Amino acid sequence: KNEVKDFMNASFSSNKQRKLIYTEGINKFIEKPFGYGVMSAPVRGSNAESGILQVALEVGIIGLFLFLIILLYPIKLIFKSKDLKI
């Protein structure tokens, strides 16, 4: 029973891995805020939510800013076309 429980926890509880990815990624981003270059980031995350961190590590603060603008601008246009206030 313990072997199965350990296997299930290792397979489905990825909080430790996420914490490690984010902690290491943020530390590397602070070390080099202008990025490491595309496909040269020192931290690779396999989770979908670490995509923004991956962008920050590869293209730096300027690339991250542009990525967020490209991501959020269409949302703003949609709200504007529906006459909703943000």
Side-chain angles (χ1 to χ4, degrees), residues 2-86:
N2 286 337
E3 291 176 14
V4 173
K5 188 176 180 181
D6 290 341
F7 175 76
M8 295 297 277
N9 284 337
S11 296
F12 297 110
S13 178
S14 62
N15 290 334
K16 290 180 184 179
Q17 291 92 346
R18 279 193 193 113
K19 184 176 178 183
L20 181 64
I21 288 169
Y22 279 111
T23 303
E24 190 175 340
I26 290 170
N27 288 337
K28 296 289 183 183
F29 179 72
I30 291 171
E31 283 177 20
K32 199 168 182 181
F34 290 103
Y36 288 88
V38 178
M39 300 299 291
S40 300
V43 178
R44 292 269 179 230
S46 60
N47 298 326
E49 61 269 1
S50 62
I52 293 177
L53 178 61
Q54 194 71 31
V55 169
L57 287 170
E58 289 183 358
V59 294
I61 190 89
I62 296 168
L64 178 63
F65 181 69
L66 292 173
F67 175 77
L68 291 175
I69 287 174
I70 291 169
L71 186 69
L72 296 175
Y73 185 69
I75 295 171
K76 181 182 177 185
L77 289 178
I78 290 168
F79 278 111
K80 199 173 190 179
S81 72
K82 299 282 184 181
D83 291 330
L84 298 175
K85 303 278 188 221
I86 301 178

